[in-house]
């Protein structure tokens, strides 16, 4: 096959205007307009409104290209679009060749008969997505999340482009993925899929190769290629992780890999990858080839009735794994700005924070190939939602056909990745449809069942019968059977945050797998300054700050939790910092509890990893890539071997100090959880200290924690501890090295009588050495640019010194603060 990319010479203009300007393909309307100075930064202040209005227009893209004689001499030529967003009419040499209406699909058109050697034109007219959804909504007012614009359910375009409770109304458009001409001689490969059978000492690969055979100059539908009965055959070359190669000729029906090197999630082993080259042979000539990387592993969900209900855990190579990660949303409102380098940085930041999983949430779009390649390399298991979220859909025959093609395209593209953990039908629809949300007619309930319990399973049976399928998130298995049951399946738990419950509420549940729970915070000042430079806006209740806060009432909610936790923060910057600590403490409270209950609970995927613009949100990494306090906390609470403390105190028992019987239990119960495949011996230590961190009493003991389990220590009560000026520090050590540590107080952080820790620091090589003269909680180290990436940050100190490594950023203009400074 000959491939010619069509990425040169593009121009675009607003349809009906003469404003032709250079365009970049792949790219998008917003990124082109921005690069050409024809729109303002859509994230600045409330420019979103103007940017949204631009999408009332239609936009046209055109390129003029030549075709090589080798391409023209092919039996058939396909024009392939890997991503068109969304309603587009396509013309080749002024001849209309078709319309696309789904950004999630790959589109191909047979164009051999239209092409010449020189001066070919390809023209694409993108219709206004706003006009389109308005019109469709008027015809059928099918509804979904009120955070998005009316009619968003009618277009197969990332839902969150029309607004979400963390997203702006910025429905970008355009040729967002590669476009190419494919010249086919005789036949081409459609897909190659290697099913794996794992046996003791070897893995058997069973190739399924689909080809398209050219007939009458048109590439036919894919057919499976079987060895002898065809004009073509396939040859497979496998390169092992150590680079040695083996060739298997003559359409092998199976390939045996002896002594396989297994792929493991991060923390449990390595991620060896095998490269598979498949060549399509017509006689002795290779007419096409595909190169794919695979990993050898078994991967499913362990679902089994048990004493608590029903288990729900990833099982990799027969080992049940506690999933640790966050929910991933699209990386940029301007699709044309995403790059593999940015995705790699984001996912490396996940691995750096000890993630072993990410959930691709269903209200965006299916990520690029590079996303999955990087997850394969880093050992991040992917929970993959299909792109349906918070809505009801009308399953017309046309919608169903479109949906089936979308599913097939994406399943074929993604199924080979060892990181693929499971397919999931949708985000939150089973739960909402059951509750009657957005449902206006009975057929919508029926269509729900058809889509997620019939259509998707049918398509999966054909293209990926191996990967585990789960009908919705959350779900207990489908058919509206208590989708958010805490004792079965996965759960979205939002009582902390949306329900205003205190952090301690997490402890009332032992979810089998929490796939969403979250808490908002603001980004730091430097990120705020990317959308406003007016000091007048530097107040969380200002118009501009609330334009960058999309969850109604959320700023009040943050202040409510602030009141429950910290003293009143009297400057804007302190509010931002304190909000990040609130968020980090909330999620820590949940995750540590879930990990302590490992076995019953097997997943903690917090909402949400990232942002698609600078905004107040649940993310742990903001739009600019800066780590919020939560991401550093995640590194600690997802540590493979972690100590945590289930304390009883003011927060857990909610005594009222202004009533009679103001008494409550003060105790600790430590727990060590071990998410490694080895038994671990650790020295556990704890100490009661005063504000200056001086030790009053202490204890240590050796604890043995079996592989993949958690172990409780005995409860210790402190009935007479002074709650305002005593705290407990705890840590675990191995070979003299602290693996995990923390501190706990029994009053509320706002009431604790911190001594001024007099924080100071010095730089030694690539390290920063921080000094505290007293107990310091959540110590933040920042430079002027707020772009330091450190080995640790927002940690507690029991006075003394702590060294952290500088991973990136310049240690210039360093400043330090801790909870003591929230005042
Ligand atoms: C869940 C998600 C998102 C949403 C988030 C925060 O419902 O699935 O739809 O953004 O919570 O409210």
């Amino acid at each position: 096959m000959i491939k010619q990319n069509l990425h040169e010479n593009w121009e675009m203009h607003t349809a009906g205007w003469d404003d032709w300007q250079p365009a970049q393909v792949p790219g998008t309307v917003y990124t082109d307009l921005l690069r050409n100075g024809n729109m303002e930064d859509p994230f600045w202040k409330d420019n979103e409104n103007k940017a949204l209005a631009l999408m009332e227009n239609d936009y046209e893209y055109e390129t003029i290209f030549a075709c090589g004689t080798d391409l023209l001499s092919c039996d058939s030529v396909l024009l392939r679009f890997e991503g068109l967003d969304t309603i587009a009419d396509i013309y080749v040499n002024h001849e209309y060749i078709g319309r696309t209406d789904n950004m999630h699909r790959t589109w191909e058109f047979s164009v051999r008969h239209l092409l010449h050697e020189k001066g070919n034109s390809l023209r694409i007219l993108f219709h206004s997505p706003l006009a389109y959804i308005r019109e469709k909504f008027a015809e059928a007012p099918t509804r979904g999340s009120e955070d998005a614009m009316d009619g968003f359910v009618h277009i197969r375009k990332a839902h969150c482009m029309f607004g979400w409770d963390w997203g702006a109304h910025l429905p970008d458009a355009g040729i967002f993925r590669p476009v190419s001409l494919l010249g086919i001689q005789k036949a081409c490969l459609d897909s190659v899929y290697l099913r794996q059978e794992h046996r003791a000492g070897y893995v058997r690969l069973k190739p399924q190769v689909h080809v398209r055979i050219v007939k009458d100059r048109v590439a036919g539908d894919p057919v499976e290629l079987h060895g002898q009965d065809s004009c073509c055959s396939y040859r497979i070359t496998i390169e092992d992780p150590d680079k040695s190669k083996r060739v298997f000729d003559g359409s092998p029906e199976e390939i045996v890999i002896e002594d396989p090197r297994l792929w493991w999630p991060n923390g449990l082993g390595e991620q060896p990858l095998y490269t598979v080259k498949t060549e399509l042979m017509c006689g002795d000539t290779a007419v096409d080839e595909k190169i794919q990387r695979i990993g050898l592993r078994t991967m499913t969900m362990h679902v089994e009735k048990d004493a608590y209900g029903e288990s729900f855990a990833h099982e990799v190579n027969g080992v049940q794994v506690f999933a640790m990660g966050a929910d991933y949303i699209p990386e940029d409102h301007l699709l044309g700005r995403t790059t593999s380098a940015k995705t790699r940085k984001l996912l490396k930041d996940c691995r750096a924070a000890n993630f072993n999983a990410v959930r691709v949430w269903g209200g965006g779009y299916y990520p690029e190939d590079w996303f999955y390649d990087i997850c394969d390399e880093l050992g991040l298991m992917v929970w993959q939602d299909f792109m349906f979220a918070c809505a009801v859909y009308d399953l017309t025959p046309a919608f169903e056909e479109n949906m089936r093609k979308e599913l097939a395209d994406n399943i074929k593209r993604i199924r080979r990745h060892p990181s693929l953990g499971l397919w999931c039908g949708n985000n939150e629809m089973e739960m909402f449809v059951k509750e009657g949300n957005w449902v206006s007619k009975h057929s919508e309930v029926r269509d729900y069942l058809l889509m997620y319990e019939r259509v998707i399973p049918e398509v999966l049976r054909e293209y990926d019968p191996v990967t585990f399928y789960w009908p919705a998130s959350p779900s207990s298995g489908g058919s509206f059977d208590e989708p958010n049951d805490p004792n079965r399946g996965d759960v979205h738990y939002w009582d902390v945050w949306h329900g205003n419950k205190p952090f301690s509420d997490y402890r009332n549940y032992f979810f089998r797998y929490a796939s969403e729970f979250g808490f908002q915070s603001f980004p730091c000042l430097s990120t705020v300054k990317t959308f406003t430079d007016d000091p007048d806006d530097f107040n969380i209740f200002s118009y501009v700050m609330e334009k960058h806060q999309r969850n109604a009432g959320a700023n009040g909610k943050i202040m409510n939790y602030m009141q429950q936790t910290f003293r009143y923060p009297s400057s804007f910057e302190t509010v931002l910092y304190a909000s990040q600590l609130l968020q980090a403490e909330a999620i820590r409270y949940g995750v540590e509890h879930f990990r302590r209950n490992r076995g019953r609970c097997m997943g903690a995927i917090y909402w949400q990893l990232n942002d698609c613009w600078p905004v107040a949100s649940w993310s742990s990494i903001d739009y600019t890539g800066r780590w919020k306090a939560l991401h550093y906390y995640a590194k600690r609470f997802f540590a493979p071997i972690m100590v945590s403390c289930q304390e009883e105190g003011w927060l857990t028992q909610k005594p009222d100090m202004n009533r009679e019987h103001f008494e409550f239990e003060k105790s600790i119960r430590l727990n060590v959880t071990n998410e490694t495949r080895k038994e671990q011996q650790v020295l556990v230590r704890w100490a009661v200290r005063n504000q200056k961190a001086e030790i009053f009493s202490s204890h240590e003991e050796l604890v043995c924690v079996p592989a993949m389990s958690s172990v409780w220590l005995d409860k210790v009560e402190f009935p007479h501890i002074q709650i305002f000026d005593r705290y407990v520090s705890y840590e675990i050590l191995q070979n003299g090295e602290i693996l995990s540590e923390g501190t706990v107080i029994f009053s509320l952080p706002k009431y604790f009588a911190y001594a001024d820790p007099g924080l100071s620091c010095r730089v030694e090589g690539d390290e920063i050495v921080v000094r505290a003269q007293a107990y310091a909680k959540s110590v933040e180290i920042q430079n002027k640019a707020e772009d330091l990436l450190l080995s640790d940050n927002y940690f507690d100190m029991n006075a003394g010194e702590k060294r952290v490594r500088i991973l990136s950023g310049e240690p210039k203009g360093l400043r330090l603060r801790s909870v003591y400074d929230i005042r």
Side-chain angles (χ1 to χ4, degrees):
M1 188 169 66
I2 296 169
K3 181 172 180 183
Q4 179 182 335
N5 283 332
L6 298 179
H7 295 163
E8 308 295 324
N9 296 323
W10 284 92
E11 292 199 309
M12 59 92 75
H13 76 137
T14 319
W17 295 27
D18 199 19
D19 59 347
W20 283 101
Q21 51 201 290
Q24 231 174 49
V25 170
T28 57
V29 170
Y30 281 150
T31 38
D32 286 331
L33 293 176
L34 200 58
R35 188 175 337 96
N36 293 315
N38 290 328
M39 76 182 269
E40 295 171 54
D41 172 4
F43 298 165
W44 188 255
K45 296 191 175 181
D46 64 354
N47 277 355
E48 169 198 354
N49 299 343
K50 291 186 236 169
L52 176 65
L54 290 171
M55 280 302 159
E56 293 291 350
N57 302 319
D58 294 351
Y59 292 91
E60 193 175 36
Y61 278 72
E62 182 165 27
T63 183
I64 306 293
F65 61 95
C67 291
T69 44
D70 47 350
L71 186 86
L72 290 176
S73 64
C74 284
D75 298 335
S76 172
V77 178
L78 290 177
L79 172 61
R80 175 194 279 170
F81 298 97
E82 289 173 35
L84 285 179
D85 178 14
T86 290
I87 310 297
D89 287 323
I90 302 162
Y91 301 82
V92 171
N93 288 332
H94 311 292
E95 192 132 342
Y96 176 71
I97 60 163
R99 169 173 272 217
T100 69
D101 60 359
N102 187 337
M103 80 177 287
H104 306 303
R105 279 175 61 183
T106 302
W107 295 89
E108 288 178 347
F109 301 91
S110 202
V111 292
R112 162 80 172 65
H113 59 292
L114 297 171
L115 299 176
H116 329 294
E117 248 181 75
K118 288 206 177 99
N120 296 289
S121 106
L122 170 59
R123 201 150 56 79
I124 306 173
L125 178 65
F126 288 98
H127 293 277
S128 159
L130 298 179
Y132 183 85
I133 61 169
R134 231 175 1 243
E135 195 182 301
K136 295 286 170 192
F137 187 69
E139 286 166 16
T142 314
R143 289 188 182 276
S145 165
E146 288 73 24
D147 292 317
M149 300 170 79
D150 284 346
F152 79 89
V153 305
H154 289 293
I155 187 168
R156 293 306 296 150
K157 175 172 171 70
H159 290 346
C160 62
M161 292 173 128
F162 296 99
W164 215 259
D165 56 5
W166 36 261
H169 300 116
L170 289 169
D172 202 356
I175 311 166
F176 75 105
R177 283 184 175 151
V179 42
S180 55
L181 290 169
L182 306 174
I184 305 168
Q185 294 286 31
K186 295 196 177 84
C188 68
L189 289 167
D190 174 70
S191 64
V192 176
Y193 179 39
L194 299 163
R195 286 183 59 171
Q196 304 179 8
E197 284 177 12
H198 287 245
R199 299 283 179 270
Y202 68 94
V203 172
R204 192 183 291 132
L205 299 176
K206 295 199 151 180
Q208 257 175 27
V209 177
H210 280 80
V211 294
R212 298 176 67 180
I213 297 175
V214 179
K215 208 172 155 211
D216 300 330
R217 296 210 167 274
V218 174
D221 288 338
V223 288
E224 190 172 347
L225 188 58
H226 291 289
Q228 285 69 33
D229 58 350
S230 167
C231 55
C232 339
S233 66
Y234 57 86
R235 173 202 284 165
I236 290 185
T237 308
I238 301 209
E239 188 184 287
D240 291 355
D242 66 8
K243 304 278 177 231
S244 62
K245 282 188 188 165
R246 272 175 308 155
V247 182
F248 302 86
D249 258 316
S251 304
E253 275 175 24
E254 56 176 63
I255 292 170
V256 172
I257 310 234
E258 309 272 359
D259 302 322
R261 290 189 51 200
L262 297 185
W263 183 95
W264 288 96
N266 179 34
L268 296 180
E270 293 180 350
Q271 292 80 42
L273 297 169
Y274 291 72
T275 305
V276 179
K277 179 161 98 175
T278 309
E279 290 164 287
L280 178 61
M281 310 298 297
C282 285
D284 288 337
T285 323
V287 292
D288 195 7
E289 68 170 44
K290 257 191 203 314
I291 297 178
Q292 302 180 330
R293 274 191 328 186
I294 61 164
L296 304 178
R297 93 295 185 250
T298 62
M299 167 93 80
T300 189
M301 294 304 285
H302 187 92
V303 182
E304 191 181 41
K305 297 227 178 324
D306 60 17
Y308 312 112
E310 197 170 67
S311 69
F312 194 70
H314 294 280
E315 189 179 294
V316 188
N317 302 324
V319 176
Q320 287 179 45
V321 183
F322 188 105
M324 302 189 281
D327 291 273
Y328 167 89
I329 62 164
E331 289 173 49
D332 204 311
H333 260 305
L334 273 56
L335 260 54
R337 285 207 286 224
T338 54
T339 63
S340 62
K342 285 187 203 167
T343 303
R344 182 172 291 277
K345 180 178 178 301
L346 181 66
L347 294 174
K348 276 177 111 172
D349 286 348
C350 292
R351 184 173 158 119
N354 293 314
F355 283 35
N356 61 19
V358 285
R359 168 170 171 247
V360 178
W361 168 78
Y365 61 102
Y366 302 91
E368 308 288 339
D369 292 339
W370 68 61
F371 174 90
Y372 303 97
D373 284 334
I374 299 167
C375 289
D376 293 346
E377 289 166 25
L378 299 178
L380 299 170
M381 296 181 287
V382 178
W383 171 308
Q384 179 67 51
D385 281 5
F386 289 110
M387 292 301 133
F388 304 95
C390 300
V392 292
Y393 305 88
D394 199 4
L395 190 67
T396 61
F399 188 93
E400 181 175 336
E401 196 202 332
N402 200 357
M403 171 179 173
R404 282 179 184 268
K405 294 206 162 119
E406 166 189 326
L407 297 170
D409 283 351
N410 289 288
I411 295 165
K412 280 156 74 177
R413 182 165 74 86
I414 299 167
R415 65 187 172 187
R416 73 171 164 89
H417 289 277
S419 55
L420 179 62
L422 63 84
W423 296 108
C424 170
N426 65 74
N427 175 69
E428 294 187 340
M429 286 178 49
E430 188 184 355
M431 175 178 83
F432 282 132
V433 170
K434 179 177 174 153
E435 288 166 6
N437 273 45
W438 313 308
V439 174
S440 58
K441 38 187 189 193
H442 175 69
S443 64
E444 288 165 347
V445 178
R446 181 202 57 207
D447 286 356
Y448 173 87
L449 289 172
L450 288 175
M451 285 172 70
Y452 306 104
E453 301 191 16
R454 184 154 122 191
V455 175
I456 295 181
E458 269 174 21
V459 182
L460 279 170
R461 223 168 290 137
E462 182 169 355
Y463 296 105
D464 182 7
V466 176
T467 303
F468 184 86
Y469 173 63
W470 196 235
S473 181
S475 182
S476 297
S479 304
F480 303 121
D481 175 19
E482 302 303 328
N484 217 16
D485 185 340
N487 299 314
R488 289 179 297 157
D490 70 319
V491 158
H492 291 192
Y493 166 83
W494 282 105
D495 282 354
V496 173
W497 186 259
H498 288 306
N500 294 314
K501 292 270 175 68
F503 304 164
S504 51
D505 196 60
Y506 287 117
R507 289 212 191 145
N508 295 330
Y509 302 93
F510 300 87
F511 304 127
R512 312 317 301 268
Y513 190 119
S515 47
E516 276 191 21
F517 55 104
F519 198 98
Q520 271 205 0
S521 70
F522 297 104
C524 68
L525 187 63
S526 301
T527 299
V528 169
K529 283 182 176 168
T530 66
F531 63 82
T532 177
D533 55 359
D534 184 350
D536 224 39
D537 295 334
F538 295 163
N539 181 301
I540 62 163
F541 301 143
S542 71
Y543 165 69
V544 168
M545 285 301 287
E546 296 212 331
K547 200 69 190 154
H548 290 247
Q549 163 59 277
R550 310 309 284 241
N551 183 205
N555 287 347
K557 209 179 272 286
I558 291 174
M559 290 315 285
N560 174 32
Y561 281 102
M562 191 79 78
Q563 175 270 329
Q564 292 175 28
T565 314
F566 295 130
R567 295 171 65 131
Y568 186 79
S570 52
S571 76
F572 180 60
E573 275 191 76
T574 312
V575 175
L576 305 185
Y577 166 66
S579 80
Q580 291 197 13
L581 296 189
L582 279 178
Q583 176 192 34
E585 287 291 337
I587 303 305
R588 179 183 71 83
Y589 219 85
V591 172
E592 289 184 349
H593 164 70
F594 301 143
R595 288 196 66 191
R596 284 194 289 268
N597 290 284
R598 190 198 190 281
R600 181 166 179 181
C601 179
M602 286 302 281
I605 305 290
Y606 66 78
W607 184 267
Q608 75 204 65
L609 171 63
N610 57 318
D611 282 328
C612 56
W613 71 312
V615 65
S617 85
W618 298 266
S619 70
S620 61
I621 296 185
D622 78 19
Y623 172 71
T624 67
R626 292 183 169 95
W627 288 26
K628 291 177 171 177
L630 172 57
H631 209 74
Y632 285 101
Y633 270 58
K635 183 174 181 177
R636 296 193 294 264
F637 62 58
F638 286 153
I641 309 165
M642 179 195 65
V643 61
S644 69
C645 176
Q646 179 170 290
E647 92 291 0
E648 284 296 338
W650 200 325
L651 178 67
T652 57
Q653 290 167 79
K654 301 169 208 69
D656 187 336
M657 64 178 173
N658 295 322
R659 293 265 167 90
E660 230 186 333
H661 311 302
F662 172 61
E663 279 157 21
F664 55 92
E665 180 183 324
K666 278 101 39 192
S667 67
I668 60 166
R669 195 172 175 209
L670 296 179
N671 177 289
V672 184
T673 173
N674 172 12
E675 200 61 28
T676 72
R677 291 195 289 137
K678 271 200 229 119
E679 178 182 286
Q680 304 285 346
Q681 293 273 359
V682 294
L683 178 68
V684 181
R685 270 195 204 148
W686 57 261
V688 177
R689 301 174 187 251
N690 66 6
Q691 303 100 317
K692 294 204 151 167
E694 292 157 343
I695 295 179
F696 283 77
S697 61
S698 65
H699 171 84
E700 60 177 57
E701 69 185 89
L702 265 179
V703 173
C704 168
V705 194
M708 313 299 277
S709 71
S710 86
V711 163
W712 287 96
L713 278 73
D714 290 339
K715 179 163 156 178
V716 185
E717 297 202 45
F718 305 100
H720 307 298
I721 197 167
Q722 297 163 38
I723 58 171
F724 300 115
D725 41 31
R726 296 282 186 279
Y727 72 99
V728 172
S729 65
Y730 51 89
E731 59 194 16
I732 51 172
L733 295 101
Q734 234 175 21
N735 308 322
E737 191 199 333
I738 297 174
L739 293 184
S740 170
E741 60 185 324
T743 67
V744 63
I745 61 171
F746 302 97
S747 66
L748 299 171
K750 60 184 176 178
Y751 297 147
F752 192 76
Y754 294 97
D756 182 352
L759 294 170
S760 62
C761 70
R762 60 180 193 277
V763 178
E764 282 182 11
D766 68 347
E767 287 188 332
I768 298 174
V769 187
V770 185
R771 247 195 101 67
Q773 288 162 7
Y775 173 42
K777 179 107 189 94
S778 305
V779 176
E780 179 199 59
I781 310 166
Q782 258 322 340
N783 62 357
K784 194 151 188 297
E786 297 188 297
D787 65 355
L788 271 186
L789 185 60
L790 302 173
S791 58
D792 200 1
N793 209 346
Y794 304 94
F795 44 77
D796 297 350
M797 289 181 72
N798 302 307
E801 286 193 351
K802 163 137 178 155
R803 286 174 178 269
V804 294
R805 239 169 332 107
I806 303 168
L807 304 176
S808 67
E810 287 293 315
K812 283 190 187 139
L814 290 179
R815 54 180 171 68
L816 301 155
R817 57 184 164 176
S818 71
V819 169
Y820 173 78
D821 299 291
I822 303 177
R823 49 184 65 233

